[in-house]
Amino acid sequence: MKKGNISMWKAVKTIDKIKIENIWYKLKKFFLGKQGNDGMIFKTVIYALLISIGFVYLYPIFYMVSHSFKSLKDLLDPTVLWLPKTLHLDNYIRAWNVLDFPKAFGASLLNSVLPALSQTVSCALVGYGFARFNFPGKSIMLAFILLTFIIPVQVVMIPLFLLFKQYGLLGSPLPFIVPALFAGGIKSALFILIYLQFFKTVPKALEESAQIDGAGPFKTFFRIIIPISVPAIVVVFLFSLVWHWNETYMASLYLGESMRTLPLMLQTFDLAYSQEYASSGATEMVNINESIKLAGTMLIILPLLILYLFAQRWFVEVVDKTGLTGE
């Protein structure tokens, strides 16, 4: 009986040990995951970081949207924090009139879309040439291109201004379009590097197959390379568009008073607001408040936000469909 009791006690102890090990394994799997990077602790840390970083980026947008719909009474009311008591749309109407939005929007499109398209195509040709062809002075030319990215714009501002003045290009979008046609302009060195690194990942077998079929370099580039390079093209176009859209330093220098883009109009928003409403006889409305300024800012960044909302989804889909791994 004693031996039987001891054997039963050992069996019970073994079963309890197995249960404890199973519980410990389930807890470990729940908190740490199978490989230590898919458990609850890891996910909690990742989501906490994402939420924190997202809050830092989204807080200014939420603040602008909230305050742009506030009336002067809501601004002065300390109990109104985020949600205004009423949506004061008059702020946007005033900002629209002060910015002269249709005219300034058209000028912004001319000074951003056309240079961005030109830069996207020309930088793609230059990046493909550096990625696929060997020629004398290749390293030196690439070094000079990188040097243009390092040198501040203020260093070459006066020579470029005198050059464009000599050729009669001032007062039009041509000072931005002409350099972009030749893979120059704003941040062009960065775009060439983006294309250069992307084209290096494209399998050479695709180009070799096209050459066997009798396709030349240009036909191979436009028929084979461009269709599978949509991710890089989208990234370069978006970056170029945003940088040209937000440019105020060179735009004020080259355009002068002949063309006023939306960011340039925002620089003189207070003065334009006073002149707009003082000239109409409404002298009591000359003083501008924060809500009207933020409404004008929202009108300026709204086209870019809409573009990013659509382009981001399309960009992810393109990457998923045309992902390349190289050789």
Side-chain angles (χ1 to χ4, degrees), residues 62-312:
F62 292 153
Y63 181 88
M64 282 194 295
V65 173
S66 173
H67 282 63
S68 65
F69 286 103
K70 288 183 178 181
S71 63
L72 183 60
K73 184 177 179 180
D74 289 338
L75 282 176
L76 299 177
D77 190 349
T79 61
V80 179
L81 298 178
W82 285 98
L83 296 177
K85 293 181 180 179
T86 57
L87 294 179
H88 197 63
L89 298 177
D90 188 58
N91 295 332
Y92 283 90
I93 297 175
R94 291 170 180 265
W96 179 283
N97 295 330
V98 172
L99 291 173
D100 193 7
F101 191 85
K103 184 178 180 181
F105 181 71
S108 296
L109 287 179
L110 286 176
N111 286 276
S112 58
V113 175
L114 294 181
L117 289 173
S118 304
Q119 213 169 29
T120 302
V121 177
S122 60
C123 290
L125 286 168
V126 175
Y128 181 72
F130 277 107
R132 283 292 186 262
F133 299 99
N134 293 319
F135 49 87
K138 176 180 176 180
S139 300
I140 298 176
M141 292 182 64
L142 187 60
F144 277 117
I145 290 175
L146 294 177
L147 191 63
T148 62
F149 182 72
I150 298 172
I151 296 176
V153 179
Q154 292 79 0
V155 175
V156 296
M157 175 186 66
I158 296 177
L160 287 177
F161 176 81
L162 295 176
L163 178 66
F164 293 139
K165 183 179 180 181
Q166 182 180 359
Y167 287 98
L169 302 180
L170 298 179
S172 68
L174 292 177
F176 296 102
I177 297 175
V178 173
L181 289 173
F182 299 95
I186 302 174
K187 310 292 184 183
S188 59
L190 177 62
F191 302 145
I192 292 174
L193 288 178
I194 291 175
Y195 280 123
L196 175 62
Q197 296 301 320
F198 183 85
F199 290 145
K200 285 183 177 180
T201 65
V202 177
K204 292 184 178 180
L206 296 176
E207 299 165 88
E208 293 172 354
S209 300
Q211 292 174 2
I212 293 174
D213 293 337
F218 283 99
K219 188 175 182 180
T220 301
F221 176 75
F222 287 105
R223 293 288 185 90
I224 305 298
I225 302 301
I226 288 297
I228 62 177
S229 303
V230 177
I233 293 173
V234 171
V235 169
V236 170
F237 177 76
L238 287 179
F239 285 175
S240 180
L241 178 67
V242 171
W243 276 324
H244 280 93
W245 180 280
N246 294 329
E247 176 59 41
T248 57
Y249 186 77
M250 290 187 295
S252 61
L253 183 67
Y254 297 151
L255 300 180
E257 296 296 330
S258 59
M259 296 183 69
R260 303 290 291 176
T261 61
L262 286 174
L264 289 177
M265 293 295 294
L266 186 62
Q267 288 184 331
T268 59
F269 188 83
D270 292 6
L271 179 61
Y273 181 86
S274 300
Q275 293 175 348
E276 174 76 17
Y277 288 96
S279 61
S280 62
T283 56
E284 71 277 3
M285 299 179 184
V286 171
N287 293 328
I288 188 173
N289 57 54
E290 182 183 3
S291 295
I292 300 175
K293 292 181 181 179
L294 292 178
T297 306
M298 281 300 303
L299 287 176
I300 293 175
I301 67 174
L302 187 61
L304 297 181
L305 291 177
I306 295 174
L307 177 65
Y308 267 117
L309 287 176
F310 285 98
Q312 182 183 14

